[in-house]
Amino acid sequence: MAGDSPHGTMLDESTPGEDVPGQTARDGAGAETALVTPVRDTPGGTKTGMDSATGPWAGAGPDTGLDPGLDAELDAELEAELDAELGTDPDKDEPSPDPDSGRQGRASGLWALVRRHPTFAVIIATAALLRLIAMIGYQPAMFFNDSFDYLHVAMEPYPHPLRPDGYSFLLLALRPFHSFALVVLVQHLMGLAMGVMIYALLRRRFRLPGWGAALAAAPVLLDAYQIQLETLILSDTTFTFLVMCAVTLLLWRDRPTWKIAASVGLIIGLAWLTRSVGMPVLLGVLLFMLVRRSGWKMMAITLVACALPVLTYMGWYKAESGKFAITESNGIFLYARVYKFADCHKMHDLPVSEYALCTEPVNRLPNSQDGIWNPQSPLNRYTGKRFSPENNRLGNDFAKRAIVAQPVDYMQVVAHDFFRVFRWKRTVFPDEATYVQYEFRKTSKALPEWRMDGDSVAAAEAKAYERGHARTQIVEPFAGVIRGYQDHVYLRGTMLGGILLIGLAGLVPLWRRLGGAALLPWTLATGLLLAPAATAEFDYRYVLPAVPLAALAAGMAFTPAVRRPLTTLTRRAGTRLRRNGRA
């Protein structure tokens, strides 16, 4: 990864001491002391070493005061147990295929890879087969309401006022192939790649057993709703993939180089242009780099690299619309958030221009999103376009006044939507028409005849992109197989809550280092679940981007760095009891 892994595949077995730079650790007096093993040459010729902060005993904390002999004995026992569990054998190298054997050599190398990672091989092969079945069963792709906005920008590029155009740029790049099936294939490959990233990080960087790393990758690889989301023409899979790429690069080494810092920043910038929630991701990454003492230079490089694509896009937006911005919708979505509770009688000095946004409780529509999309929305009391700069300004100001005047009511709606994520059953929300778009259906709807502008129609643009029939074709029995799979195999909200709790438990033993490396994926996962609840409303598609990050954090809760202090404390307590018994 980024040229840092030793020879062979990224998923090779890990040998203690490889690919982990030296660091400092704190001694019992609080001073920083270098704790580095003797440097040795790796097969690739680069010199590496292991330190106590990133090695298998990371996070042990200061010395407990027991005699050094007992400490050494316990450490040796734990090292032996971990090596046996991981199957680490420095003398066992991957058999190199004969370059003259052609296909037979490549097949032999692939089989050797499968034998080294049997559990993950079964899971990822199953995941690939499920995605193939979905592609055959639903051709060339599935569509969501938002799909046609992304498509319209790809056909006639312009800065969209409602959402950034990052995903439309992907559609634009693939447009010469005239194939929605190719778009879906790319998204399926992104889904599989996210599973590989989780496995590779846990296996090589954090020394988890193969079966444990494979289990952590399973939610993103096998969840039926994740597979269905990858089949839709939507931005969510691309956004999640970009965030996972940034996290993988940042965690692959203990301290990032300037190249990694720049790459992470650029990727986050692209994620920000794919979904607006990429901005909190940047804040989370910078906070993590600060906590991990990556250095101000690395943080500045990340920030500048992120700003390059974002500022370029904002300059384009200003040239087209006259305003230096990414969208003209943040205020409108925030208005939808407060629509359910805003009471104009409690707001002081409300401008007359915002009176039209007031709604009495008896006349209020049931869902927050009704404040935007329903024809009876108060926003429709203004003339002109709904997503206009003026409406965005008015909605933003009104929402802030409502939050300041009714902070408790705001916290209640945010908490309600946040905890809705963790319900066991999926319920129809926000309405039947929206909910069924997240399902593999028995029938397909005709492409909409919406007018995208004065001379463009949604259905016609889809046909032009495909250069043929673009309506989803349902092919049995493949469609029936993936529908049956979706009925029974998916990550329930309560399971996701359990995964987050496991990740949180893994942060506790490393509290002296604020949770260690797992702090990054856990906080990003939680933030991606909280952001929609705080700024818009709950939606099932907003849950899935948090899953791979949460699964990665949960897997890191079982790494040697976390288990070592727990195991050591347990054994030392037992030793003390035995000694007291003898006395």
Side-chain angles (χ1 to χ4, degrees):
M1 182 79 61
D4 296 321
S5 57
H7 70 74
T9 173
M10 184 171 58
L11 302 182
D12 285 351
E13 299 288 351
S14 176
T15 307
E18 289 184 358
D19 220 16
V20 183
Q23 257 193 30
T24 60
R26 294 190 178 274
D27 61 14
E32 292 192 350
T33 307
L35 297 175
V36 183
T37 57
V39 177
R40 61 184 181 81
D41 290 338
T42 64
T46 60
K47 295 185 177 182
T48 62
M50 172 164 287
D51 65 86
S52 64
T54 57
W57 307 144
D63 186 62
T64 59
L66 289 182
D67 66 86
L70 178 58
D71 282 345
E73 180 183 349
L74 288 170
D75 285 353
E77 291 178 8
L78 286 168
E79 181 72 49
E81 289 178 7
L82 282 169
D83 285 341
E85 181 179 354
L86 292 169
T88 306
D89 187 351
D91 298 327
K92 289 179 66 175
D93 293 328
E94 175 185 351
S96 301
D98 184 356
D100 299 327
S101 61
R103 293 181 180 177
Q104 182 179 0
R106 286 192 294 272
S108 174
L110 179 62
W111 177 243
L113 186 67
V114 171
R115 281 187 298 151
R116 283 197 309 277
H117 311 280
T119 307
F120 183 70
V122 171
I123 291 176
I124 198 167
T126 303
L129 178 61
L130 290 168
R131 284 161 173 78
L132 178 61
I133 292 172
M135 285 191 68
I136 297 174
Y138 292 84
Q139 304 177 21
M142 297 179 70
F143 297 93
F144 192 84
N145 292 342
D146 297 350
S147 302
F148 303 100
D149 282 336
Y150 293 119
L151 181 59
H152 180 58
V153 174
M155 301 300 289
E156 302 177 16
Y158 74 101
H160 199 287
L162 176 56
R163 53 181 65 87
D165 289 347
Y167 182 66
S168 295
F169 294 154
L170 174 63
L171 296 179
L172 180 63
L174 298 177
R175 192 175 73 178
F177 298 98
H178 296 289
S179 174
F180 284 118
L182 177 61
V183 177
V184 171
L185 175 62
V186 169
Q187 292 178 172
H188 283 322
L189 292 176
M190 290 178 180
L192 294 173
M194 287 188 280
V196 173
M197 290 182 220
I198 294 171
Y199 184 81
L201 275 171
L202 294 177
R203 192 77 181 99
R204 287 201 46 102
R205 179 70 173 86
F206 299 106
R207 298 190 68 205
L208 219 64
W211 65 267
L215 186 63
V220 70
L221 290 175
L222 301 180
D223 178 41
Y225 284 94
Q226 172 66 35
I227 297 171
Q228 196 269 344
L229 190 65
E230 294 167 15
T231 311
L232 285 164
I233 304 300
L234 276 180
S235 63
D236 301 76
T237 298
T238 303
F239 170 78
T240 311
F241 172 74
L242 290 171
V243 173
M244 278 301 301
C245 286
V247 170
T248 300
L249 281 175
L250 201 53
L251 294 184
W252 193 254
R253 301 186 65 178
D254 189 71
R255 289 187 177 273
T257 63
W258 73 267
K259 291 182 180 179
I260 291 178
S263 299
V264 168
L266 182 61
I267 292 170
I268 294 174
L270 296 176
W272 189 348
L273 295 180
T274 303
R275 276 190 59 193
S276 298
V277 77
M279 189 264 287
V281 172
L282 172 64
L283 297 179
V285 166
L286 291 177
L287 178 62
F288 175 77
M289 295 177 75
L290 178 64
V291 168
R292 299 284 286 179
R293 299 181 181 179
S294 299
W296 292 107
K297 280 187 178 181
M298 296 301 104
M299 294 176 64
I301 290 171
T302 301
L303 184 60
V304 170
C306 178
L308 286 176
V310 173
L311 292 178
T312 301
Y313 183 88
M314 294 174 73
W316 179 44
Y317 198 104
K318 180 175 177 58
E320 293 290 327
S321 66
K323 185 173 182 180
F324 195 66
I326 294 178
T327 66
E328 291 286 355
S329 63
N330 292 342
I332 293 176
F333 278 103
L334 191 59
Y335 167 73
R337 175 69 291 179
V338 306
Y339 171 75
K340 289 185 69 172
F341 67 84
D343 185 349
C344 290
H345 299 293
K346 298 181 180 180
M347 299 185 207
H348 302 293
D349 302 322
L350 184 69
V352 175
S353 60
E354 297 176 19
Y355 281 3
L357 297 176
C358 297
T359 305
E360 292 297 323
V362 68
N363 299 322
R364 196 166 290 153
L365 299 167
N367 297 315
S368 292
Q369 292 300 304
D370 289 324
I372 300 178
W373 307 111
N374 196 294
Q376 300 178 45
S377 166
L379 286 171
N380 290 329
R381 297 169 185 167
Y382 295 98
T383 58
K385 292 183 178 180
R386 183 178 305 173
F387 290 96
S388 66
E390 181 62 15
N391 279 3
N392 191 60
R393 184 188 66 79
L394 291 172
N396 188 58
D397 185 71
F398 181 90
K400 289 179 178 178
R401 290 175 183 273
I403 292 171
V404 171
Q406 300 170 258
V408 176
D409 293 327
Y410 174 69
M411 294 301 297
Q412 285 178 344
V413 297
V414 171
H416 179 270
D417 275 12
F418 177 72
F419 287 106
R420 182 192 288 271
V421 171
F422 309 117
R423 294 181 180 179
W424 180 258
K425 291 185 178 180
R426 290 176 68 100
T427 57
V428 175
F429 186 85
D431 52 58
E432 180 73 23
T434 302
Y435 180 80
V436 297
Q437 294 182 81
Y438 300 130
E439 302 275 337
F440 287 111
R441 303 183 295 274
K442 293 183 179 180
T443 59
S444 68
K445 296 174 63 176
L447 297 176
E449 298 293 332
W450 303 327
R451 283 212 161 271
M452 307 305 296
D453 57 26
D455 57 358
S456 301
V457 176
E461 287 191 327
K463 292 175 183 176
Y465 189 95
E466 182 71 14
R467 278 195 182 173
H469 193 77
R471 176 177 176 175
T472 306
Q473 300 297 303
I474 298 176
V475 180
E476 302 292 356
F478 301 98
V481 171
I482 199 67
R483 280 199 308 272
Y485 181 82
Q486 189 178 39
D487 288 340
H488 299 94
V489 185
Y490 62 91
L491 186 70
R492 295 180 179 270
T494 310
M495 296 177 181
L496 176 57
I499 291 172
L500 281 172
L501 288 177
I502 292 172
L504 179 61
L507 302 181
V508 174
L510 303 182
W511 63 272
R512 292 178 182 276
R513 292 191 289 137
L514 298 179
L519 179 68
L520 177 63
W522 192 88
T523 52
L524 289 183
T526 305
L528 287 175
L529 294 175
L530 189 59
T535 60
E537 189 179 39
F538 169 84
D539 196 298
Y540 283 112
R541 63 183 274 209
Y542 297 154
V543 174
L544 291 175
V547 171
L549 294 164
L552 175 60
M556 293 168 70
F558 297 93
T559 57
V562 176
R563 290 159 50 198
R564 193 262 179 159
L566 297 177
T567 304
T568 302
L569 288 175
T570 301
R571 291 190 174 182
R572 284 171 177 169
T575 302
R576 284 177 176 174
L577 288 174
R578 288 195 298 271
R579 286 183 173 179
N580 291 336
R582 294 194 198 102

